[in-house]
Amino acid sequence: MVRLITHNLLACHVKGCTSNNFPLEFKDVQLVPHESWGILRYRTKLPRCLDDDFLKTLHHVLLEIHVEEGIMICPNCKHNYPISNGIPNMLLAEHEIG
Amino acid sequence: MATSRPKKYTKNTRNQQIQADMTYRALELLNLPPDEPAFLLDIGCGSGLSGEILDEEGYIWAGVDIAPSMLEVALEREVEGDLFLQDIGQGFGFRPGSFDGAISISVLQWLLNAETSHPTSSPPHRLSRFFTTLHSSLRNPSRAVFQFYPSSDDQIQLITSIAQKAGFGGGIVVDYPNSKKAKKVFLCLYVGGGGGAQQLPEGLDGEEAVEDGGKARFERRREREKTKNGKRKSIKDKDWILKKKELYRKRGKEGVPNDSKFTGPQAEASVLIYFMDLFLFNSSILHSEEVPATGDCVFRLIADEMALQRSHADPLPVLHFFCYNVL
C-alpha cells in the first residue's frame, strides 16, 4: 500500500540527486480507498483546535486512500519508481547507486 | 537474494517460532516508550512474520525487502504496514527523521556478500550506504535493533565500525553466548541520546535449556498471554476471527461466513467430528484394505474445509497426527 502519508516520507535516492528530490510526482495512478484508523493526530502533530469534520477528511485522504498501480517520478532527476500491486519498486540501476 | 526463501521460511513452524521470539526480543531491546504510538521500519520484512507481531503490538510500520515473492506472501497475509521493494545496500530514500525506530531480523548478514565486482556492490560500500541513509531517516533520539548471523568476529567488527562511522552509537548484545543453538547476536544502534546516556542492554545468559530462569525478560511479556493450562494464547482466536470477519464485511467482501457459537477452534472441531463420522462410516462399509485411500481422500476434504475456515494455518500435519495416532 502506498498511502499518501507514506508517500510523504519518500524522496529520491539516486546518486547525486540531493536537491529538489521531493515530493515524487505521481503519474498514471489507480487509487483505492482503504480502511484503517490510527496515527493521524500523532504523526502530523495537528493543533487540537481543528474540528472533527476536518480531521475526518484529512484522515480519509492520508490513510484511507492508497495507490495500487502507477509511477512516482523524481522532480529533479526524473527517475521512475513504478508501483505495482501496491508495492513501490525502489531498486536502482548500478550507475544510480550513491 | 534467494527466491527459494519463501517456502522455507514461511512453512516451517519452528522457524516461525524462532523468528517471532527474535522479533519480540528486538522490540524489547528497542525500548520504546510504552502506550505511545510509534512508526517503525522493518528492514527485510520478508513475508510479514515480524510485521504481524508489530501489528499485534499496536505499532505502525513500513517494511522493505528485496524479494518480490516474499512481499507477495506479506500481501496475502494482509499485514497493515506499507511495503517497499528495495535493496537496502543501495540506501534508503526516506526523508530525515521519518521513523521512531527500526528492527531487522536475520537480514544484515546478506549485506556481507558481494554479488558483482562493481565497486558499489562491495560489502563495505553497501554497509556504509545502508547505515548512513538509515541514520538520517531515524528520529533523534531513537534506536535500531538488528538480529543477524555473523560467521566470524571480523564480520562483527566490520559492521560495527561502519555503523559507528555513519554516526550510530551502541554495539553488540549477545543472548545465550554459551549455547551453540540458542545464541543470538543483536546489533543495538542508537541515534543521538546525549553523550552516552543510552546504556547498552545486557544479553540474556544461561543455557537454552534453562527456559524459566534464563528467559526471564522474555517471560515477562509472554506471561500475560498464557492461559491457565500454560499454553500460549493463540493470536488467531475467536475475537481475532470475529474482528477479521467484521472487517471483510465492512469492505464489502462476499461470502463471509456468518458468526456462530462455533467460531475458530470450535468450528474446526465440529468440522473434524463431522468428517471423522464420515470417515468411520466409509471405513465400516469398505474393506480394511481400501481404508488408506479413502482416508487420504478424507484428509484432503478435511484439510480443504479447515483451510476455508482458517486460511492461515496448514492443517495437514495436525490431521496426519490425529489420524495416525488416534485412529
Side-chain angles (χ1 to χ4, degrees):
Chain A
M1 292 178 286
V2 187
R3 288 178 281 203
L4 297 190
I5 202 165
T6 319
H7 171 257
N8 189 41
L9 299 175
L10 290 174
C12 181
H13 62 300
V14 167
K15 183 181 187 178
C17 186
T18 49
S19 62
N20 189 28
N21 60 351
F22 166 86
L24 304 175
E25 289 163 21
F26 276 125
K27 198 186 158 198
D28 300 336
V29 294
Q30 285 176 23
L31 296 174
V32 179
H34 176 73
E35 296 171 46
S36 69
W37 297 94
I39 50 176
L40 188 62
R41 171 96 56 183
Y42 167 71
R43 286 302 301 174
T44 50
K45 305 232 163 61
L46 292 168
R48 298 265 166 191
C49 58
L50 291 173
D51 65 45
D52 278 0
D53 282 347
F54 176 79
L55 275 181
K56 271 182 192 159
T57 317
L58 199 60
H59 177 275
H60 175 72
V61 171
L62 289 176
L63 290 159
E64 294 179 15
I65 291 179
H66 68 262
V67 179
E68 194 68 19
E69 303 283 334
I71 304 172
M72 293 184 290
I73 303 172
C74 171
N76 183 32
C77 70
K78 305 295 173 205
H79 180 93
N80 285 14
Y81 298 96
I83 304 170
S84 106
N85 220 353
I87 299 177
N89 180 342
M90 306 302 285
L91 300 177
L92 301 177
E94 198 104 285
H95 66 276
E96 294 171 324
I97 302 169
Chain B
M1 266 159 259
T3 42
S4 60
R5 272 205 292 161
K7 212 173 222 168
K8 194 177 130 203
Y9 274 72
T10 52
K11 285 280 158 77
N12 185 331
T13 47
R14 180 170 155 73
N15 232 332
Q16 282 183 2
Q17 187 55 48
I18 293 173
Q19 294 250 324
D21 284 348
M22 292 189 303
T23 308
Y24 282 119
R25 175 70 174 141
L27 280 174
E28 194 174 45
L29 290 170
L30 214 50
N31 196 20
L32 291 159
D35 307 320
E36 211 174 281
F39 189 48
L40 303 181
L41 179 62
D42 187 354
I43 301 162
C45 60
S47 58
L49 268 173
S50 44
E52 271 187 342
I53 291 170
L54 295 179
D55 285 343
E56 183 198 320
E57 297 282 315
Y59 295 111
I60 318 291
W61 58 279
V64 302
D65 202 281
I66 197 176
S69 50
M70 298 285 275
L71 290 172
E72 260 169 48
V73 182
L75 279 183
E76 281 168 25
R77 260 173 212 256
E78 304 193 356
V79 289
E80 301 286 333
D82 289 4
L83 306 168
F84 297 92
L85 176 64
Q86 190 150 28
D87 178 358
I88 56 171
Q90 296 181 345
F92 296 109
F94 296 113
R95 293 169 66 209
S98 292
F99 298 100
D100 301 312
I103 64 160
S104 163
I105 306 297
S106 313
V107 170
L108 219 48
Q109 68 272 9
W110 294 99
L111 280 176
L112 298 162
N113 307 335
E115 276 170 25
T116 65
S117 57
H118 198 275
T120 57
S121 68
S122 78
H125 185 274
R126 285 168 63 76
L127 280 167
S128 137
R129 184 87 189 128
F130 168 65
F131 282 125
T132 319
T133 53
L134 176 67
H135 186 271
S136 69
S137 63
L138 288 170
R139 222 176 51 152
N140 183 359
S142 65
R143 290 187 182 189
V145 177
F146 310 78
Q147 180 278 326
F148 69 113
Y149 294 106
S151 56
S152 70
D153 283 352
D154 287 350
Q155 289 191 342
I156 295 181
Q157 180 65 34
L158 178 72
I159 288 174
T160 48
S161 69
I162 292 175
Q164 270 164 16
K165 263 184 222 155
F168 282 107
I172 296 282
V173 174
V174 184
D175 283 356
Y176 311 113
N178 301 323
S179 159
K180 213 172 189 178
K181 251 166 115 185
K183 181 177 171 179
K184 293 284 175 291
V185 181
F186 290 88
L187 176 64
C188 297
L189 297 178
Y190 304 139
V191 177
Q198 302 208 49
Q199 207 190 345
L200 207 59
E202 292 207 2
L204 301 178
D205 211 344
E207 295 295 324
E208 56 180 312
V210 197
E211 294 266 316
D212 32 20
K215 277 198 178 171
R217 295 219 266 161
F218 256 97
E219 211 64 21
R220 187 158 32 89
R221 185 191 295 276
R222 275 205 232 135
E223 208 67 60
R224 278 178 278 130
E225 295 161 359
K226 278 185 179 172
T227 54
K228 273 171 237 152
N229 56 15
K231 276 191 182 159
R232 245 181 106 187
K233 191 169 158 269
S234 167
I235 295 162
K236 288 165 184 166
D237 58 2
K238 190 169 174 176
D239 287 343
W240 183 88
I241 293 171
L242 290 176
K243 215 178 83 193
K244 277 279 179 191
K245 281 183 173 174
E246 189 58 42
L247 187 68
Y248 288 141
R249 287 194 195 107
K250 245 196 272 170
R251 287 183 187 163
K253 196 167 177 174
E254 282 175 18
V256 180
N258 291 329
D259 295 338
S260 75
K261 59 177 178 174
F262 300 119
T263 298
Q266 290 98 328
E268 275 162 29
S270 61
V271 170
L272 197 65
I273 289 165
Y274 171 73
F275 283 107
M276 291 312 301
D277 282 349
L278 192 72
F279 175 77
L280 293 172
F281 175 69
N282 278 342
S283 46
S284 64
I285 296 173
L286 297 162
H287 292 291
S288 56
E289 271 145 38
E290 308 222 32
V291 169
T294 325
D296 259 350
C297 170
V298 173
F299 290 169
R300 184 48 59 191
L301 273 174
I302 302 174
D304 287 345
E305 188 59 33
M306 285 178 72
L308 274 179
Q309 293 281 343
R310 201 175 72 169
S311 55
H312 295 271
D314 184 5
L316 269 181
V318 185
L319 286 168
H320 270 271
F321 172 81
F322 192 79
C323 295
Y324 288 121
N325 293 291
V326 181
L327 282 179

